[in-house]
Amino acid sequence: MKPAGFLCKIDKLGRIVVPKPLRTKFDLNIDDTIELFTDDDSIILKKYRESCVFCGGDEELVSFEGKTVCKHCIAKLSKI
């Protein structure tokens, strides 16, 4: 990981502010969802993007019984 050059404090409610240059760089907007991951002693933030439960693709997605599936995988499943 490379340092971003920003220090952020955690407020009383456990929140941090992501600095504007980072929000711009990673296309983070109001009401976007962020995923949190851990790796040893690190916390990793990643912009959440819906993806197909089968192939991980993120184009032409549909919701089916609470799961997200792409049209390509739906076509494959219809042949089973």
Side-chain angles (χ1 to χ4, degrees):
M1 281 192 279
K2 65 179 185 178
F6 298 99
L7 294 177
C8 304
K9 291 198 177 205
I10 299 174
D11 73 8
K12 292 177 185 177
L13 296 176
R15 300 175 295 198
I16 62 167
V17 173
V18 178
K20 176 77 173 165
L22 292 178
R23 293 193 317 264
T24 301
K25 178 178 180 175
F26 293 102
D27 191 31
L28 297 172
N29 301 295
I30 294 171
D31 292 330
D32 281 350
T33 301
I34 301 296
E35 288 183 281
L36 299 173
F37 300 91
T38 60
D39 184 24
D40 295 326
D41 64 345
S42 299
I43 299 170
I44 300 160
L45 306 175
K46 183 178 177 184
K47 184 174 181 175
Y48 175 74
R49 298 195 191 279
E50 271 194 299
S51 60
C52 176
V53 295
F54 296 110
C55 71
D58 61 358
E59 294 182 11
E60 299 186 271
L61 301 174
V62 253
S63 182
F64 177 73
E65 295 191 9
K67 304 293 182 192
T68 303
V69 185
C70 72
K71 290 186 178 182
H72 178 73
C73 286
I74 291 172
K76 283 181 167 180
L77 289 167
S78 68
K79 295 177 184 176
I80 295 176

